[in-house]
Amino acid sequence: MCKENLKRYPIPDKTMTVYVKPVASKVPKVAIDDRVKALLSDVSTDSIKSKLHKLSSYHTRHTKSKYIHEVAQWLRSEFESMGYNDLFYHKYNENIDGTDYELKNVICNKKGRNNKWVLICAHYDSRMERIDDHTSSAPGANDNASGVGAILEIARLLRQVDLEYGVQFALFSGEEQGLLGSKHYAKFVKENNLSIYRLINLDMIGYPQLNAGIVLIEKDDHSDPAHNQVSGNDEDSIEFARIMADMSSYTDLKISLDSIWNSDYEPFEAEGYVVVGAYDGSANEDQNPHYHDSSDTPSLIDWTYLTSVTKLVMATVLTVSKIR
Ligand SMILES: [Zn+2]
């Protein structure tokens, strides 16, 4: 458990996202094996839907709300019900506005044949426009039950798959309050010398209405040093994003390449890890009235798109963690 308060990250605000044109190429440069194709066809929209509905059924998943520990418990039980037994709460303390909170990240390990890990992460907390409003309804369906739902579906399908690299599923708390969970967890993995080979962050992947059919793949090449603290990991991130973009050939998605900013990959980038993200580009307060609002409900979700993004991420994970 971490006792100290670490460096403060600003409250994540992605409303200034700049859109770029989708990449045209549909010719896969990285071929995938038939077993990967079979697993992709097993991705179930109904399964993702039921997880997302359950998460959005909590009145709020605000960090300060009375529901937040119950949500963590439910997430943990989901991994257990899939048959995973190597899982834990990564607990940490943070002082928010003068009050101490003990919060939990939910971490589940799927061991590989070697001791390197591909980490896929998403935050499970939600918020309203007013950052400390922990009593209003905040279903956070797109932000970010969508990312959590995709991870639970990938975990379900990878349970019995033999992989060279381990896959770690990390569900973070406190993202909306300034990347709290990921900040503490990045420090924890660094201190414990956990070998994180690659990291994929999923934050808002189910509401493509501002960018029809396009998913933004965020790579570590930001020109603002606040979002790119280490330069030695940029080249590998750009290459990793290219592999992920290639995987779109196995889905109906178009790709737009963007840069990482304001989500849970940042504390890992700052520790030197190789990170990318997937994002639907909808965190725009002017164009998306549902962002950080009670109206971010499951009825907004484009299930076909969310299923495709889940496939894209799973194909990427299987490619880099090497199916045996
Ligand atoms: Zn989010």
Side-chain angles (χ1 to χ4, degrees):
M1 189 189 302
C2 305
K3 283 282 182 197
E4 74 276 47
N5 274 346
L6 304 177
K7 165 194 163 180
R8 289 236 166 256
Y9 279 87
I11 302 303
D13 174 7
K14 299 193 73 148
T15 56
M16 298 296 287
T17 299
V18 176
Y19 303 107
V20 279
K21 283 204 180 114
V23 175
S25 167
K26 269 289 178 185
V27 183
K29 296 176 197 78
V30 181
I32 58 171
D33 159 314
D34 286 345
R35 290 168 302 166
V36 176
K37 287 183 191 158
L39 281 161
L40 294 185
S41 67
D42 288 341
V43 172
S44 159
T45 301
D46 285 346
S47 167
I48 300 168
K49 210 182 240 183
S50 79
K51 311 299 180 203
L52 193 147
H53 272 276
K54 170 68 185 177
L55 280 163
S56 293
S57 74
Y58 291 95
H59 179 67
T60 175
R61 301 189 306 279
H62 194 284
T63 297
K64 296 180 180 179
S65 77
K66 60 179 179 179
Y67 306 101
I68 200 67
H69 295 295
E70 197 183 325
V71 177
Q73 233 167 45
W74 179 76
L75 291 168
R76 183 181 178 136
S77 71
E78 277 299 292
F79 286 119
E80 284 167 343
S81 72
M82 295 170 199
Y84 287 102
N85 48 29
D86 184 0
L87 69 171
F88 65 100
Y89 287 135
H90 170 254
K91 296 180 183 175
Y92 61 94
N93 289 353
E94 271 280 348
N95 186 288
I96 310 171
D97 306 329
T99 307
D100 281 322
Y101 292 87
E102 188 195 75
L103 297 163
K104 300 182 182 97
N105 295 321
V106 181
I107 312 292
C108 173
N109 290 324
K110 173 186 164 44
K111 285 210 171 69
R113 292 194 182 192
N114 68 30
N115 62 0
K116 289 188 180 173
W117 297 90
V118 174
L119 194 157
I120 53 175
C121 58
H123 75 86
Y124 67 82
D125 61 314
S126 65
R127 66 168 281 193
M128 290 294 287
E129 190 176 348
R130 195 163 59 74
I131 183 77
D132 62 347
D133 177 356
H134 59 282
T135 53
S136 297
S137 162
N142 193 41
D143 189 9
N144 182 33
S146 64
V148 176
I151 288 184
L152 291 174
E153 178 63 356
I154 293 169
R156 182 181 78 84
L157 291 166
L158 293 193
R159 176 73 190 100
Q160 304 293 346
V161 181
D162 185 7
L163 297 171
E164 186 67 32
Y165 291 55
V167 178
Q168 185 168 81
F169 307 101
L171 303 177
F172 294 133
S173 49
E175 191 266 355
E176 302 288 13
Q177 306 295 319
L179 315 183
L180 304 180
S182 54
K183 176 184 74 172
H184 282 276
Y185 194 62
K187 183 168 182 280
F188 173 85
V189 299
K190 190 74 178 181
E191 284 175 354
N192 287 277
N193 289 317
L194 198 65
S195 181
I196 304 289
Y197 172 64
R198 295 289 183 264
L199 179 147
I200 306 175
N201 180 59
L202 309 178
D203 192 357
M204 306 179 71
I205 55 167
Y207 184 71
Q209 275 68 351
L210 307 184
N211 298 277
I214 301 172
V215 63
L216 279 70
I217 295 180
E218 302 165 308
K219 56 193 181 328
D220 177 16
D221 61 353
H222 212 292
S223 52
D224 179 347
H227 303 289
N228 187 359
Q229 299 195 36
V230 174
S231 56
N233 51 5
D234 294 9
E235 203 178 307
D236 285 341
S237 167
I238 292 163
E239 170 61 14
F240 186 32
R242 190 191 66 77
I243 293 171
M244 193 154 158
D246 285 352
M247 292 301 139
S248 69
S249 316
Y250 303 102
T251 71
D252 53 4
L253 295 168
K254 282 177 279 187
I255 295 297
S256 177
L257 292 170
D258 203 350
S259 301
I260 59 162
W261 69 319
N262 288 2
S263 190
D264 284 323
Y265 31 43
E266 292 204 308
F268 294 90
E269 192 282 329
E271 295 287 3
Y273 296 108
V274 177
V275 308
V276 299
Y279 166 48
D280 61 21
S282 71
N284 186 313
E285 271 161 355
D286 298 333
Q287 294 175 49
N288 178 5
H290 313 294
Y291 181 54
H292 294 164
D293 193 271
S294 296
S295 65
D296 181 4
T297 62
S299 62
L300 293 182
I301 300 294
D302 179 335
W303 300 106
T304 307
Y305 175 88
L306 175 55
T307 304
S308 296
V309 178
T310 306
K311 288 182 183 184
L312 173 77
V313 173
M314 194 168 83
T316 308
V317 170
L318 284 162
T319 298
V320 294
S321 59
K322 299 192 181 98
I323 192 163
R324 299 298 308 235

